[in-house]
């Protein structure tokens, strides 16, 4: 659905490559799109409706003057063969062969995949953005063949819708900025929770480090006290040894002392 927003780029690329472009514009009821996006992405219904409107109007505006056909999803499910033939005729292609059309209708399409169905009466403008009912009505006329997609009157109607949509662009830009900020809230909340958890873990780690440093300091104080005791004991022993050597020296100076030392030595 977002492809119509960038069609001018791809049309220039096709022209540069010498490729002829033609378009099948698929349309779903806006209520069905809103219900799908609400269920799948939890989008605000108003945002979903604006997306539907923007994509459809851009598709109609940027394909003016080119081969195109508008196809309604519900009409395709109701009469696949008819819609295939209508698409082929609008694009200048031969109608599909009957076996291929039957395989497409019976083997490929699945009505069970259509989870909701709405009609024109379900487009209450009170709870949908403006222009949605007008854009849907135009798409239905084109899809039913009630209007010629190449007629100047259709181009004028599309141009008017496009101009009215562009008038809302500043408001849509602001709404988009607000939505992006709102979309960031869960991410930022998660990042904040992660930062808080990381800060708590870092605090606990710092507490463990401080406790380890405290244990080291205590062990150092104990070791220092023990070392001081050893040093004092060693100093006492050295003093005692010096005293003993002094006593021996004095004894050796006397004859009686020399005799006593001789007996002690053996």
């Amino acid at each position: 659905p977002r492809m119509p927003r960038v069609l001018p780029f791809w049309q220039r690329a096709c022209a540069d490559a010498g490729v002829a472009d033609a378009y099948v514009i698929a349309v779903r009821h806006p209520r069905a799109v809103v219900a799908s996006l609400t269920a799948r992405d939890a989008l605000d219904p108003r945002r979903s409706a604006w997306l539907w409107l923007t994509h459809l109007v851009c598709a109609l505006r940027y394909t003016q003057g080119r081969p195109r056909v508008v196809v309604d999803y519900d009409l395709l499910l109701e009469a696949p063969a008819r819609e295939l033939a209508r698409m082929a005729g609008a694009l200048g292609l031969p109608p599909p062969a009957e076996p291929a059309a039957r395989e497409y209708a019976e083997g490929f399409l699945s009505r069970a995949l259509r989870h909701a169905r709405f009609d024109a009466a379900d487009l209450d403008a009170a709870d949908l953005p403006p222009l949605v009912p007008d854009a849907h009505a135009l798409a239905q006329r084109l899809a039913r063949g009630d209007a010629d997609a190449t007629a100047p009157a259709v181009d004028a109607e599309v141009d008017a819708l496009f101009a009215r949509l562009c008038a809302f662009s500043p408001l849509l830009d602001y709404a988009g900025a607000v939505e992006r900020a709102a979309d960031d809230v869960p991410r930022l909340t998660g990042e904040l929770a992660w930062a808080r958890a990381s800060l708590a873990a870092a605090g606990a780690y710092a507490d463990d480090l401080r406790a380890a440093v405290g244990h080291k300091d205590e062990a150092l104080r104990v070791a220092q006290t023990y070392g001081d005791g050893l040093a004092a004991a060693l100093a006492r022993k050295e003093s005692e040894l010096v005293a003993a050597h002094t006593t021996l020296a004095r004894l050796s100076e006397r004859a009686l002392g020399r005799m006593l030392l001789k007996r002690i030595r053996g």
Side-chain angles (χ1 to χ4, degrees):
R2 291 168 289 190
M3 180 63 76
R5 306 283 290 274
V6 292
L7 267 183
F9 167 82
W10 290 111
Q11 287 166 344
R12 288 193 297 271
C14 288
D16 291 343
V19 175
D21 53 325
Y23 302 90
V24 175
I25 302 175
V27 179
R28 290 180 66 195
H29 193 287
R31 287 288 189 196
V33 173
V34 168
S36 176
L37 292 180
T38 299
R40 189 190 69 184
D41 299 326
L43 293 186
D44 185 286
R46 293 165 296 182
R47 179 182 182 185
S48 300
W50 276 113
L51 289 173
W52 178 92
L53 176 66
T54 303
H55 296 158
L56 175 62
V57 172
C58 286
L60 295 174
R61 178 67 172 75
Y62 295 142
T63 57
Q64 288 176 334
R66 290 175 164 82
R68 67 180 180 181
V69 58
V70 177
V71 181
D72 179 78
Y73 177 69
D74 293 315
L75 294 179
L76 178 65
L77 288 181
E78 289 174 5
R82 181 195 66 200
E83 292 301 302
L84 286 176
R86 191 174 71 85
M87 283 187 277
L91 299 178
L93 301 173
E98 194 276 336
R102 186 186 326 112
E103 171 61 24
Y104 174 78
E106 299 175 1
F108 178 77
L109 289 182
S110 174
R111 291 169 178 79
L113 296 179
R114 179 171 54 183
H115 303 300
R117 185 172 184 179
F118 302 89
D119 55 36
D122 296 315
L123 289 176
D124 183 1
D127 65 343
L128 285 176
L131 309 184
V132 167
D134 293 343
H136 181 258
L138 174 59
Q140 286 295 294
R141 296 203 312 273
L142 294 172
R144 295 181 183 278
D146 298 335
D148 182 1
T150 63
V154 170
D155 285 346
E157 191 171 353
V158 170
D159 289 342
L161 281 171
F162 188 79
R164 293 167 66 191
L165 179 63
C166 289
F168 283 100
S169 61
L171 179 60
L172 294 177
D173 288 342
Y174 173 74
V178 172
E179 289 169 355
R180 286 189 292 273
D183 290 342
D184 278 340
V185 169
R187 176 183 62 81
L188 293 174
T189 300
E191 291 179 356
L192 180 60
W194 174 84
R196 285 173 174 166
S198 299
L199 182 60
Y205 182 67
D207 290 341
D208 290 341
L209 285 178
R210 281 191 289 268
V213 169
H215 293 323
K216 178 188 69 65
D217 290 342
E218 180 62 24
L220 183 60
R221 284 192 296 271
V222 171
Q224 187 172 1
T225 301
Y226 182 69
D228 291 344
L230 288 178
L234 181 59
R236 290 195 300 271
K237 294 301 181 184
E238 288 179 347
S239 297
E240 294 173 0
L241 184 59
V242 169
H245 279 292
T246 302
T247 301
L248 289 176
R250 290 174 181 172
L251 287 175
S252 63
E253 292 175 357
R254 302 175 183 178
L256 182 59
R258 287 195 295 270
M259 291 176 59
L260 181 59
L261 289 175
K262 187 176 181 180
R263 287 189 178 183
I264 291 173
R265 293 170 180 169

